[in-house]
Amino acid sequence: MKYMKYLWMSACALLLATVTACSDYEIFAEDLNPAKVTDDDSGDSEEEDNWDGTFEEGAVLPFTRTNRAVTASFTNVFFSAEVKAIERQGVLVSWRWLPDDADDITFDVYRNGIKLNETPISKSTNYKDLTAEIGQNYTYEVKSSDKSLGICKITPTDGAAGFYRSIKVKTRADYDINDGAIGDLDGDGEYEIVIKRQVIGQARDVGDTKPWTGLQKGTCLLEAYKLDGSSNGVPMWTIDMGKNISQGQHTTQFLVYDFDGDGKAEIALRTSEGTTFGDGTIIGDVDGDGKTDYRDASSGRVLDGPEFLSLVDGETGVEMTRTEYIPRGEKDTREAYWGDAWGNRSERFLMGVGHFGSQDGRASIVMCRGYYKNFQLWAVHYNSADNKLRTRWKFNTANGYSAQWLDSGNHNLSIGDVDDDGKDEIIYGSCGIDHDGKGMYTTGLGHGDALHLGKFDPNRSGLQIVDCHEHQEYHNGKGVDFRDAATGEVLWYIPGSGDIGRCMVADVDPATPGCEVWSSASATDMYSCKGEKLSKNAPVCKDGKISYNMGIWWSGSLNRQVLDNAMVQSYTDGRLFTGGTNFGVTTINDTKANPCFYGDIWGDWREEMIYTTNDYSELRIFTTDFETQYRIRPLMEDHIYRISAAHQNIGYNQPTHTGFYLGSDRTDYKAFK
């Protein structure tokens, strides 16, 4: 085995000349195969390739510590007269309450040089200008102690167009707009967005039991755009993943995050021969087999060929470095290891961001393969001193883990410091993996489609998890579990049978302490965070149907609203926003009905929504115009929230959550914890 490993690495070194997309290229590979599937495999050999050098720490502080992000929002399109009475027509000016701001700081708002507020603003970071007129040009300025903190310009417009910020994208016939991720790509202190684009109708599900018919048309693209509109339809760069990366929700994962601590976000993605980067360079015939197209001519599936994890410069789209991706293994071992030989198990990928050295240290990339039967996770750390991706640790269920660990993964993952040791852990569906790559626990409840990590019970220490499950033979009636994130102890569960496809947790009802939990396991039932079945129904959204999708902080209350099908619905006040009917946008990912991205991008602590138009010609970014009397630091400053936003687009999109309790049971948010 060792001889084969070194022989393979030597072969890679001889092929450097064929690798056209990345200079100083090196792979730190263990083997071309997954670990041997034997009862006595301790996995000790995996440690030999783990880099024992110093992992660079000292991450750059997020720019949400210094950027005030003043924004203005206006609409005169209201869902109902009742909502208009709450929302009120006018320009909402909002800004960040920065971490270094004093608890008792006050603000003033000026419009075209004239102060609007009669008394200093001390309880919130927003102001509603009810005297603004349609068609007038306004410059709003936020000050504190006569010091200017930021400005925003707006011209209130009659009709729908006045409510969103439009980001034109490149016209591409036959291409849609799919998932997005945000980060400061160029270091200017403002967010940019990276969007995934797929050929319309060509995204395929690797789990489809019906034979794929022929080759996919086109390839999956990544494009980067400025969120201030200055891109004007011209991307900062474009990456073509290439024909060996199948288009689809399970196969085209990417992360946008600052992995080298330089204040600029990089992009991490799976690549292969044929991937083209932002400067036009292409990964060539790396393995020297004389081919760069590994698609099966009849099925269209890609089950062979080299695969890599590439790290890309966020400003230019140029590949910085790459390493080997978790290998599929030899064909004759795949069914025994992964669970099938036709790519349903082996071709399911997830990715994540983890700070495994310390919360203040630089992040590692977590690449994952599989979640049915066996699965592997590798943590890879970028060493800027020599421009290499180094393996931090490898996790493999075949290396000494019991059968109870098999089939534990979800179509998504969550990451955060669940055991309060200052380092991140990974919640991989029904199991927990420690910061050092060792298994912490598994509930044995098996695979599922939805997963939530956050502070859901305000009166219980630590973080909690809500997870739904698909296979009856594993969950045995525990359709949705509410568990302790650190220990895996199932605190209570929602009974259910068969495939429980959806679950959701949020504080939607001010009358019930803590967050409420509901799922597709029990029709309209809703539970308290203590597991008590409530006498009221779960929240609805489109067509009066229960919504199990996402939650958003949009209204002025501390309760969360449900976000589904481009609609925002309050549990107490009804429909607050309808994107498709009123604002010409559409959702992505079929029945998941997601926005391209949503999160706390600018302004106060409420969340923005980013949708694509029906013709895929632009992104439309919506900022709430509801006033709030509450003042909270930027949500992106919360570690759990920032990480959940980073992998929101991974697999089946999941909502953002905070590591502190954010709900109507608490009103003092001077600090997160």
Side-chain angles (χ1 to χ4, degrees), residues 487-502:
T487 66
E489 177 189 0
V490 176
L491 304 173
W492 58 270
Y493 65 88
I494 298 175
S497 61
D499 182 355
I500 312 304
R502 298 285 192 278

Side-chain angles (χ1 to χ4, degrees), residues 265-283:
E266 289 76 45
I267 293 81
L269 70 155
R270 186 173 65 96
T271 57
S272 184
E273 294 181 357
T275 298
T276 304
F277 297 98
D279 59 350
T281 57
I282 306 172
I283 300 179

Side-chain angles (χ1 to χ4, degrees), residues 19-41:
V19 183
T20 59
C22 181
S23 60
D24 196 22
Y25 167 68
E26 186 174 353
I27 291 177
F28 292 83
E30 172 200 354
D31 200 290
L32 284 177
N33 302 314
K36 292 180 180 179
V37 187
T38 60
D39 293 334
D40 59 352
D41 188 358

